[in-house]
Amino acid sequence: MSQQFDVIVIGGGPGGYEAAIRAAQLGFATACIDDWTRPDGKPAPGGTCTNVGCIPSKALLQSSENFEEAGHAFAEHGIGVTGLSMDVAKMLARKARVVAQNNDGILYLFKKNKIAFFHGFGSFAGKDSDRWKVSVAGKAPAEIAGTHVIIATGSKPRALPNVPIDNVRVLDNDGALSMNAVPKRLGVVGAGVIGLEMGSVWRRLGAEVTMLEALPAFLQAVDTTIAKEAQKLFAKQGLAIQTGVAIGKVDVGSKDVTVTYTTSDGKEVKATYDHLIVSIGRVPFSEGLKGDTVGLVLDERGFIEVDGECRTNLANVWAIGDVVRGPMLAHKAEEEGVAVAERIAGQKPHLDFNTIPWVIYTSPEIAWVGKTEQQLKADGVDYRAGQFPFIANGRARAMGDTRGLVKMLADRKTDAILGVHIIGPMASELISEAVVAMEFGASSEDIARITHAHPTLSEAMREAALAVDGRTLNL
Ligand SMILES: Cc1cc2nc3c(=O)[nH]c(=O)nc-3n(C[C@H](O)[C@H](O)[C@H](O)COP(=O)(O)OP(=O)(O)OC[C@H]3O[C@@H](n4cnc5c(N)ncnc54)[C@H](O)[C@@H]3O)c2cc1C
């Protein structure tokens, strides 16, 4: 007889492994299946996020930022650096160690929570009375059965039409995080979150980076004040960003890649790069799951169709994370996973997409939550805006990083915070205060009245809140 579980999670990325942990905490006999494998054949749970996404990109962003700081920012502190050099192999080895620590951490958590981990590829194999049968293909094939199945199979990179990713010349995120030398000329198609992060890493290490973006405006989804500031700052750093570009022919040679594209003013340009990173978004991944054999419904874009609570069309089959609608973010996947486990236990968790924070880990970082000013205008919402630049923040001056600002948007009548947008040092950490505030329905006055330690960057948040009421103290 096959092994029986209350909950089977297919996919061990941030959505899947956290769903499994929460299900186990709630007392369910839980299994998690994941197929990601390290070069030595060992399991590598953690999905895209841990293996080729959030974690390795932040490791390389940190290494490259340290290199740039040592080369450019230390001097002003009186620190002289001679003979500065970059050992790319060592940087990549460190990244691999960081990834492996996270893989091992998840394996430890599976053990700690008594989750049965199956290293292999899971697929539906029909139904046995009220239990779903799931096959695991891999080194240790198995057939297991579960009352509930949570699908957390994630996403994969989108390729340019007719330009296959070879991860030699044409790179996806995996290739972009693994180049063993700094390219001289690097092209990046797509100036979104991933493109900007990858472009930043290699620019800091010395590559000439050109970013080709199809949309007419830079960072169109970001508040325009922040996007404009970002474009100015990134241009100053030497990131060449072209918007409104139409990619034509891409010729992949043995040593380089030539891209023919049309600029926003209609000029045809032929540019040659050592490598081309393609970061034009990601598509849901549910191949090989054999969902069609049990009648699982996908939408027209290939996402598994779910309701607001992550229920698919099949009884007791749920889907979460990148493989379903909504922002493709690790923390969104995690929250959905936890919420589904709690729903299975009969609880009533709630996940508000409007308070999910977004972060771009460039330098300076960009982070936001809630509505942008352009969205409020389009929705006809009456609001007040306040902003405060880091140049007027004592801690930022002491740190030597005064780039950027905090902008707060609040309802004119109720003063409820509707959105907070930051570009500046540690924006990724600062945004949490805004998330908490919005989750608790705080007003801008609430933030203005809360004591913020001095001197901290968080004082810029308080000042932006004061600015909503036209009464900043330090500007
Ligand atoms: C370069 C890059 C940087 C990123 N940075 C950030 C960031 O800083 N912050 C952030 O929030 N998000 C970031 N993301 C996005 C984030 O990685 C994803 O949103 C997140 O990983 C989605 O989690 P998931 O659990 O839905 O899927 P995934 O992480 O994709 O995990 C799915 C797992 O399921 C496995 N799998 C698939 N099918 C099967 C099957 N049938 N059987 C067994 N296993 C299967 C896959 O191999 C994989 O291990 C980044 C992405 C990239 C590419």
Side-chain angles (χ1 to χ4, degrees):
M1 199 173 100
S2 56
Q3 257 183 286
Q4 312 277 307
F5 294 94
D6 299 318
V7 179
I8 297 174
V9 184
I10 306 179
Y17 89 76
E18 290 213 356
I21 291 174
R22 188 70 188 118
Q25 282 176 344
L26 289 162
F28 296 117
T30 306
C32 182
I33 309 166
D34 189 81
D35 67 334
W36 211 298
T37 306
R38 302 182 212 198
D40 62 4
K42 284 193 190 148
T48 301
C49 169
T50 301
N51 293 295
V52 291
C54 324
I55 301 298
S57 62
K58 268 78 243 176
L60 294 193
L61 279 160
Q62 189 62 51
S63 299
S64 59
E65 191 162 354
N66 291 350
F67 178 73
E68 187 163 73
E69 290 261 301
H72 298 286
F74 280 12
E76 137 184 23
H77 295 266
I79 304 167
V81 180
T82 48
L84 183 68
S85 68
M86 183 71 223
D87 183 337
V88 174
K90 215 165 172 180
M91 176 181 78
L92 294 183
R94 175 186 175 273
K95 177 205 75 171
R97 276 199 308 279
V98 173
V99 168
Q101 278 164 1
N102 282 273
N103 298 140
D104 291 339
I106 297 166
L107 289 170
Y108 160 78
L109 291 171
F110 283 155
K111 226 182 225 161
K112 180 185 164 206
N113 289 283
K114 300 188 175 51
I115 294 162
F117 175 63
F118 292 86
H119 184 211
F121 194 85
S123 59
F124 282 99
K127 217 172 173 187
D128 197 358
S129 66
D130 62 342
R131 285 185 192 244
W132 293 100
K133 289 198 290 182
V134 176
S135 297
V136 184
K139 270 193 199 152
E143 179 137 322
I144 59 179
T147 310
H148 290 265
V149 175
I150 304 175
I151 305 168
T153 48
S155 61
K156 62 175 187 185
R158 185 196 302 278
L160 281 167
N162 307 319
V163 187
I165 304 280
D166 59 15
N167 274 335
V168 178
R169 293 290 143 210
V170 182
L171 316 175
D172 61 13
N173 51 296
D174 195 1
L177 289 163
S178 312
M179 275 190 275
N180 54 21
V182 181
K184 193 169 168 331
R185 303 153 305 172
L186 179 64
V188 182
V189 183
V193 179
I194 295 174
L196 277 170
E197 292 187 4
M198 299 298 94
S200 296
V201 166
W202 297 104
R203 185 212 46 83
R204 290 172 195 164
L205 299 180
E208 264 168 44
V209 179
T210 306
M211 310 209 52
L212 305 171
E213 169 60 51
L215 291 173
F218 178 58
L219 289 178
Q220 207 154 283
V222 176
D223 187 275
T224 30
T225 310
I226 304 294
K228 277 192 189 140
E229 185 71 12
Q231 194 162 13
K232 220 169 53 197
L233 290 170
F234 297 159
K236 222 161 130 191
Q237 292 170 2
L239 265 187
I241 301 168
Q242 300 198 31
T243 54
V245 160
I247 303 288
K249 207 157 163 265
V250 177
D251 287 314
V252 184
S254 61
K255 291 212 163 68
D256 51 29
V257 186
T258 300
V259 182
T260 308
Y261 61 90
T262 313
T263 61
S264 55
D265 50 4
K267 278 195 209 108
E268 195 176 273
V269 177
K270 215 172 179 182
T272 301
Y273 308 107
D274 301 318
H275 298 279
L276 184 72
I277 298 176
V278 178
S279 52
I280 54 170
R282 298 181 62 83
V283 289
F285 179 80
S286 60
E287 285 150 33
L289 189 62
K290 298 192 179 152
D292 52 335
T293 62
V294 286
L296 182 70
V297 172
L298 308 187
D299 71 14
E300 64 285 354
R301 292 187 301 155
F303 289 96
I304 295 177
E305 204 160 270
V306 286
D307 66 8
E309 300 197 321
C310 296
R311 284 186 179 80
T312 69
N313 65 308
L314 303 174
N316 294 343
V317 177
W318 312 72
I320 58 166
D322 279 11
V323 79
V324 303
R325 83 284 172 269
M328 285 189 172
L329 293 170
H331 41 285
K332 176 263 193 184
E334 291 170 0
E335 294 305 333
E336 282 184 334
V338 167
V340 163
E342 292 177 350
R343 276 181 201 119
I344 292 172
Q347 298 182 6
K348 303 228 171 317
H350 171 69
L351 175 58
D352 182 357
F353 276 18
N354 189 45
T355 51
I356 291 179
W358 290 78
V359 179
I360 310 179
Y361 297 83
T362 40
S363 175
E365 293 178 345
I366 297 171
W368 72 98
V369 60
K371 298 274 192 269
T372 61
E373 189 163 3
Q374 60 267 30
Q375 280 173 326
L376 293 181
K377 279 187 180 147
D379 295 347
V381 176
D382 198 8
Y383 65 92
R384 292 192 298 171
Q387 63 185 57
F388 190 80
F390 283 104
I391 187 99
N393 173 274
R395 182 66 185 277
R397 286 195 205 119
M399 285 167 64
D401 190 357
T402 54
R403 299 167 298 169
L405 59 106
V406 179
K407 173 173 173 179
M408 188 176 285
L409 301 162
D411 188 282
R412 182 175 296 280
K413 217 152 111 204
T414 65
D415 195 33
I417 299 171
L418 303 173
V420 175
H421 305 271
I422 309 172
I423 177 166
M426 306 303 281
S428 59
E429 301 292 340
L430 293 173
I431 200 64
S432 288
E433 179 180 6
V435 176
V436 173
M438 287 184 66
E439 279 284 351
F440 281 82
S443 62
S444 78
E445 188 186 348
D446 288 328
I447 298 296
R449 286 187 184 278
I450 289 170
T451 310
H452 290 70
H454 176 77
T456 59
L457 297 170
S458 73
E459 288 173 289
M461 181 76 78
R462 172 174 175 249
E463 291 280 2
L466 285 165
V468 170
D469 199 34
R471 54 188 185 96
T472 50
L473 293 164
N474 284 284
L475 193 67

